[in-house]
PDB file of all heavy atoms in Angstrom:
ATOM      1  N   VAL A 131     -70.163  26.810 -55.690  1.00  0.00           N
ATOM      2  CA  VAL A 131     -69.237  26.674 -56.747  1.00  0.00           C
ATOM      3  C   VAL A 131     -67.960  25.892 -56.192  1.00  0.00           C
ATOM      4  O   VAL A 131     -67.764  25.861 -55.039  1.00  0.00           O
ATOM      5  CB  VAL A 131     -68.795  28.094 -57.161  1.00  0.00           C
ATOM      6  CG1 VAL A 131     -69.946  28.842 -57.828  1.00  0.00           C
ATOM      7  CG2 VAL A 131     -68.275  28.941 -55.908  1.00  0.00           C
ATOM      8  N   LYS A 132     -67.347  25.190 -57.127  1.00  0.00           N
ATOM      9  CA  LYS A 132     -66.264  24.344 -56.890  1.00  0.00           C
ATOM     10  C   LYS A 132     -64.965  25.214 -56.830  1.00  0.00           C
ATOM     11  O   LYS A 132     -64.136  24.964 -55.880  1.00  0.00           O
ATOM     12  CB  LYS A 132     -66.045  23.286 -57.813  1.00  0.00           C
ATOM     13  CG  LYS A 132     -67.196  22.306 -57.786  1.00  0.00           C
ATOM     14  CD  LYS A 132     -67.116  21.000 -58.650  1.00  0.00           C
ATOM     15  CE  LYS A 132     -68.042  19.952 -58.431  1.00  0.00           C
ATOM     16  NZ  LYS A 132     -69.445  20.477 -58.928  1.00  0.00           N
ATOM     17  N   ILE A 133     -64.867  26.257 -57.607  1.00  0.00           N
ATOM     18  CA  ILE A 133     -63.709  27.152 -57.521  1.00  0.00           C
ATOM     19  C   ILE A 133     -64.003  28.552 -57.566  1.00  0.00           C
ATOM     20  O   ILE A 133     -65.150  28.926 -57.842  1.00  0.00           O
ATOM     21  CB  ILE A 133     -62.768  26.734 -58.847  1.00  0.00           C
ATOM     22  CG1 ILE A 133     -63.525  26.946 -60.128  1.00  0.00           C
ATOM     23  CG2 ILE A 133     -62.073  25.467 -58.707  1.00  0.00           C
ATOM     24  CD1 ILE A 133     -62.735  26.918 -61.332  1.00  0.00           C
ATOM     25  N   VAL A 134     -63.092  29.388 -57.097  1.00  0.00           N
ATOM     26  CA  VAL A 134     -63.314  30.771 -57.118  1.00  0.00           C
ATOM     27  C   VAL A 134     -62.002  31.488 -57.735  1.00  0.00           C
ATOM     28  O   VAL A 134     -61.001  30.688 -57.642  1.00  0.00           O
ATOM     29  CB  VAL A 134     -63.566  31.372 -55.633  1.00  0.00           C
ATOM     30  CG1 VAL A 134     -64.972  31.192 -55.232  1.00  0.00           C
ATOM     31  CG2 VAL A 134     -62.647  30.835 -54.709  1.00  0.00           C
ATOM     32  N   PRO A 135     -61.887  32.534 -58.284  1.00  0.00           N
ATOM     33  CA  PRO A 135     -63.112  33.615 -58.320  1.00  0.00           C
ATOM     34  C   PRO A 135     -64.149  33.056 -59.452  1.00  0.00           C
ATOM     35  O   PRO A 135     -63.840  32.262 -60.304  1.00  0.00           O
ATOM     36  CB  PRO A 135     -62.531  34.845 -58.765  1.00  0.00           C
ATOM     37  CG  PRO A 135     -61.307  34.417 -59.509  1.00  0.00           C
ATOM     38  CD  PRO A 135     -60.887  33.231 -58.923  1.00  0.00           C
ATOM     39  N   ILE A 136     -65.390  33.660 -59.339  1.00  0.00           N
ATOM     40  CA  ILE A 136     -66.474  33.264 -60.162  1.00  0.00           C
ATOM     41  C   ILE A 136     -66.539  34.126 -61.389  1.00  0.00           C
ATOM     42  O   ILE A 136     -66.510  35.291 -61.336  1.00  0.00           O
ATOM     43  CB  ILE A 136     -67.782  33.363 -59.504  1.00  0.00           C
ATOM     44  CG1 ILE A 136     -67.782  32.359 -58.195  1.00  0.00           C
ATOM     45  CG2 ILE A 136     -68.914  32.976 -60.418  1.00  0.00           C
ATOM     46  CD1 ILE A 136     -68.937  32.531 -57.419  1.00  0.00           C
ATOM     47  N   PHE A 140     -69.749  30.778 -65.562  1.00  0.00           N
ATOM     48  CA  PHE A 140     -69.843  29.475 -64.569  1.00  0.00           C
ATOM     49  C   PHE A 140     -71.254  28.931 -64.686  1.00  0.00           C
ATOM     50  O   PHE A 140     -72.253  29.621 -65.021  1.00  0.00           O
ATOM     51  CB  PHE A 140     -69.618  30.012 -63.198  1.00  0.00           C
ATOM     52  CG  PHE A 140     -68.254  29.968 -62.645  1.00  0.00           C
ATOM     53  CD1 PHE A 140     -67.149  30.132 -63.535  1.00  0.00           C
ATOM     54  CD2 PHE A 140     -67.936  29.516 -61.373  1.00  0.00           C
ATOM     55  CE1 PHE A 140     -65.774  29.987 -63.065  1.00  0.00           C
ATOM     56  CE2 PHE A 140     -66.695  29.511 -60.880  1.00  0.00           C
ATOM     57  CZ  PHE A 140     -65.682  29.595 -61.690  1.00  0.00           C
ATOM     58  N   LYS A 297     -66.875  29.481 -49.906  1.00  0.00           N
ATOM     59  CA  LYS A 297     -66.385  30.691 -50.660  1.00  0.00           C
ATOM     60  C   LYS A 297     -67.204  31.136 -51.690  1.00  0.00           C
ATOM     61  O   LYS A 297     -67.624  30.315 -52.509  1.00  0.00           O
ATOM     62  CB  LYS A 297     -64.784  30.331 -51.166  1.00  0.00           C
ATOM     63  CG  LYS A 297     -63.906  29.989 -50.112  1.00  0.00           C
ATOM     64  CD  LYS A 297     -62.570  29.683 -50.788  1.00  0.00           C
ATOM     65  CE  LYS A 297     -61.617  28.820 -49.922  1.00  0.00           C
ATOM     66  NZ  LYS A 297     -60.627  28.158 -50.712  1.00  0.00           N
ATOM     67  N   CYS A 298     -67.308  32.468 -51.806  1.00  0.00           N
ATOM     68  CA  CYS A 298     -68.030  33.016 -52.983  1.00  0.00           C
ATOM     69  C   CYS A 298     -67.407  34.432 -53.282  1.00  0.00           C
ATOM     70  O   CYS A 298     -67.670  35.294 -52.399  1.00  0.00           O
ATOM     71  CB  CYS A 298     -69.446  33.123 -52.643  1.00  0.00           C
ATOM     72  SG  CYS A 298     -70.448  33.858 -54.017  1.00  0.00           S
ATOM     73  N   TYR A 299     -66.525  34.571 -54.330  1.00  0.00           N
ATOM     74  CA  TYR A 299     -66.230  35.947 -54.628  1.00  0.00           C
ATOM     75  C   TYR A 299     -66.030  36.006 -56.190  1.00  0.00           C
ATOM     76  O   TYR A 299     -65.874  34.994 -56.793  1.00  0.00           O
ATOM     77  CB  TYR A 299     -64.919  36.420 -53.830  1.00  0.00           C
ATOM     78  CG  TYR A 299     -63.649  35.581 -53.980  1.00  0.00           C
ATOM     79  CD1 TYR A 299     -62.728  35.835 -54.937  1.00  0.00           C
ATOM     80  CD2 TYR A 299     -63.417  34.565 -52.944  1.00  0.00           C
ATOM     81  CE1 TYR A 299     -61.566  34.948 -54.949  1.00  0.00           C
ATOM     82  CE2 TYR A 299     -62.336  33.849 -53.023  1.00  0.00           C
ATOM     83  CZ  TYR A 299     -61.381  34.090 -53.990  1.00  0.00           C
ATOM     84  OH  TYR A 299     -60.262  33.330 -53.976  1.00  0.00           O
ATOM     85  N   ALA A 300     -66.127  37.144 -56.598  1.00  0.00           N
ATOM     86  CA  ALA A 300     -66.177  37.538 -58.117  1.00  0.00           C
ATOM     87  C   ALA A 300     -64.850  37.643 -58.818  1.00  0.00           C
ATOM     88  O   ALA A 300     -63.919  37.968 -58.223  1.00  0.00           O
ATOM     89  CB  ALA A 300     -67.094  38.713 -58.331  1.00  0.00           C
TER      90      ALA A 300
END
Side-chain angles (χ1 to χ4, degrees):
V131 294
K132 293 188 176 61
I133 53 168
V134 281
I136 298 170
F140 266 35
K297 297 176 200 160
C298 176
Y299 56 89

